[in-house]
């Protein structure tokens, strides 16, 4: 065997897999940067408490990494992520215990950066609106709240149906009913 | 659809959300052109939708910057675990094959007379000595064809006899290693470090 033959043994494939692993981690972190706040918002609107939401979001992204490592479908990773977070929340006994949106109060800890141009008066107004909104959201069924929140995150009805394991027509009905109720309350 | 048959809210909402099926689009649009009441309902729903979305987007959410770091660390840990599991699988399946391949590869590479094809061996060996591989408390001198990009964490060590003169011809210098081999000996016992691909990465001479 010549030295050239020895060097030609299947080394590149292993190297390619190693690089692929690195890029998968990068991909997961890119999704995290984009989606972790909307995911936290989604879970909060479902009534999941802050600490549980924090853990569920971490777990969802670890599952995303595992999914990618196993060569899972990448066609709609965003919807996949929400479906996993949703199912994890459902499986967490405490998550849907209250089924209300108390976790929207959020007055402690770090918050999303708020524009400096927002005045104290505007901030109070915003808080008041959130309070009203929380009360209004509590009038909705869990399915209506889920559909409405996912719609607000920019998902199409087909994707919402996929996340929540519902039919597209049921999603349409839930969104319409939720909106009808909220438009009178807000 | 007549003017008296007003559009239901879910149709109006699907029109707002661009969720109407192909045939529905024409029906709803033509009805909206004719029916003022449905146009008003459409506007009302559209405003309500925008208002709700703006309130949803303004809901303050606590987020934790340190969580990203935690995730990155966790991903790295998962990766290392997966790689080790993969290496173990490879070693379990191909361990013997790798050892045989390595023996053949070293034997052929170190055949007397091959050294003529290795240019500037002294210089290479000095450079290699500084990049010695440390595995399981042993120091290995990298072989001429070692791939420095291969991680040594997924390695395998095989003990074998190698012609000392051939090793010397290949430019491997043993001074820093224990049990220095004399040039007169026909062979030495050495640990050979194998990489993930079954090829030898380095040698550690044990004794004559």
């Amino acid at each position: 065997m010549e030295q050239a033959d020895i060097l030609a043994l299947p080394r590149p494939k292993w190297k390619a897999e190693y690089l692929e692993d690195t890029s998968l981690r990068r991909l997961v972190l890119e999704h995290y940067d984009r989606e972790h706040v909307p995911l936290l918002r989604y879970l909060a609107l479902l009534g999941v408490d802050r600490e549980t939401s924090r853990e569920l979001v971490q777990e969802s992204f670890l599952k995303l990494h595992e999914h990618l490592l196993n060569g899972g479908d990448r066609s709609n990773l965003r919807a996949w992520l929400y479906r996993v977070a949703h199912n994890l929340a459902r499986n967490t006994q405490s998550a849907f215990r209250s089924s209300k949106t108390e976790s929207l109060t959020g007055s402690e800890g770090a918050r999303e950066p708020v524009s400096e141009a927002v005045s104290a008066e505007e901030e109070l107004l915003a808080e008041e609106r959130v309070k009203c909104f929380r009360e209004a959201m509590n009038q909705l069924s869990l399915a209506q709240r889920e559909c409405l929140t996912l719609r607000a995150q920019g998902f199409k009805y087909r994707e919402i149906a996929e996340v929540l394991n519902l039919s597209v027509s049921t999603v349409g009905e839930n969104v319409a009913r939720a909106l009808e109720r909220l438009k009178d309350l807000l | 659809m007549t003017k008296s048959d007003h559009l239901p809210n879910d149709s109006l909402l699907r029109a707002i959300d661009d969720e109407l099926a192909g045939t529905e689009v024409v029906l709803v649009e033509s009805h909206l052109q004719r029916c003022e009441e449905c146009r008003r309902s459409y506007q009302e729903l559209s405003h309500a939708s925008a208002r709700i979305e703006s309130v949803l987007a303004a809901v303050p959410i606590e987020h934790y910057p340190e969580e990203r770091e935690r995730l990155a660390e966790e991903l790295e840990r998962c990766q290392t675990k997966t790689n080790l599991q993969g290496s173990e699988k490879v070693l379990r399946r191909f361990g013997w094959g790798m050892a045989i391949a390595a023996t053949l590869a070293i034997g052929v590479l170190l055949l007397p007379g091959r050294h003529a094809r290795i240019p500037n061996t002294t210089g290479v060996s000095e450079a290699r000595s500084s990049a010695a591989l440390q595995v399981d408390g042993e120091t290995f001198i990298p072989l001429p064809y070692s791939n420095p990009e291969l991680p040594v964490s997924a390695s395998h060590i095989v003990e074998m006899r190698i012609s000392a003169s051939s090793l010397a011809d290949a430019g491997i210098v043993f001074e820093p290693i224990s049990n220095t081999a004399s040039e007169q000996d026909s062979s030495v016992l050495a640990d050979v470090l194998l990489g993930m691909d079954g090829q030898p990465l380095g040698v550690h001479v044990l004794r004559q």
Side-chain angles (χ1 to χ4, degrees), chain A residues 1-2 6 9 11 14-15 21 32-33 41 45 50 54-55 58 108 151-152 157 179-180, chain B residues 9 13 17 19 49 51 56 59 62 66-68 70 79 108 117 147 149 196-197 199:
Chain A
M1 194 190 289
E2 294 292 323
I6 297 167
L9 285 169
R11 189 175 279 156
W14 196 90
K15 195 179 167 191
D21 293 343
Y32 180 85
D33 292 339
R41 177 171 288 120
L45 288 164
R50 276 171 295 203
R54 194 172 161 170
E55 288 307 317
Q58 279 280 329
E108 300 160 23
R151 173 183 175 269
Y157 288 9
L179 216 61
E180 275 169 37
Chain B
N9 271 355
L13 194 61
D17 289 345
E19 292 276 357
S49 165
R51 200 167 61 239
L56 271 171
V59 165
E62 292 177 32
E66 70 274 14
E67 288 292 280
R68 191 188 193 277
R70 183 158 79 101
Q79 194 58 65
V108 171
R117 275 179 267 161
N147 182 353
E149 290 175 50
M196 267 295 298
D197 50 5
Q199 296 179 54

Side-chain angles (χ1 to χ4, degrees), chain B:
Chain B
M1 193 181 288
T2 64
K3 195 177 171 179
S4 58
D5 297 328
H6 293 302
L7 291 168
N9 271 355
D10 69 303
S11 291
L12 291 172
L13 194 61
R14 281 190 293 118
I16 292 166
D17 289 345
D18 201 18
E19 292 276 357
L20 290 173
T23 49
E24 278 182 300
V25 178
V26 182
L27 283 172
V28 170
E29 279 181 0
S30 61
H31 182 88
L32 282 174
Q33 277 174 357
R34 293 193 311 269
C35 179
E36 199 185 331
E37 202 175 325
C38 281
R39 271 206 304 279
R40 200 171 355 16
S41 299
Y42 180 93
Q43 288 299 328
E44 274 177 22
L45 262 181
S46 187
H47 287 146
S49 165
R51 200 167 61 239
I52 288 162
E53 284 195 10
S54 75
V55 177
L56 271 171
V59 165
I61 294 296
E62 292 177 32
H63 68 110
Y64 311 87
E66 70 274 14
E67 288 292 280
R68 191 188 193 277
E69 194 58 35
R70 183 158 79 101
L71 177 68
E73 283 170 13
E74 198 63 45
L75 290 176
E76 190 125 5
R77 247 197 308 277
C78 288
Q79 194 58 65
T80 310
K81 201 174 147 192
T82 310
N83 281 348
L84 285 175
Q85 281 171 349
S87 311
E88 282 167 12
K89 272 186 202 166
V90 169
L91 286 173
R92 268 202 302 274
R93 288 176 64 186
F94 305 116
W96 282 106
M98 285 162 70
I100 291 165
T103 309
L104 287 172
I106 286 187
V108 171
L109 188 73
L110 302 179
L111 273 178
R114 275 192 67 87
H115 61 278
R117 275 179 267 161
I118 302 172
N120 191 22
T121 50
T122 313
V124 171
S125 69
E126 280 165 9
R128 282 197 306 268
S129 300
S130 61
L133 304 162
Q134 295 286 338
V135 178
D136 293 346
E138 272 189 289
T139 306
F140 290 84
I141 297 179
L143 287 164
Y145 41 84
S146 299
N147 182 353
E149 290 175 50
L150 276 179
V152 291
S153 60
S155 59
H156 195 58
I157 299 167
V158 180
E159 194 180 280
M160 61 177 71
R161 292 204 78 83
I162 301 170
S163 159
S165 57
S166 296
L167 283 169
D169 287 344
I172 309 290
V173 181
F174 293 114
E175 283 83 356
I177 313 294
S178 61
N179 301 322
T180 308
S182 96
E183 284 188 10
Q184 285 76 34
D185 294 329
S186 57
S187 66
V188 292
L189 192 64
D191 271 350
V192 178
L193 176 69
L194 303 177
M196 267 295 298
D197 50 5
Q199 296 179 54
L201 290 174
V203 289
H204 176 182
V205 173
L206 298 169
R207 59 178 180 272
Q208 295 174 20

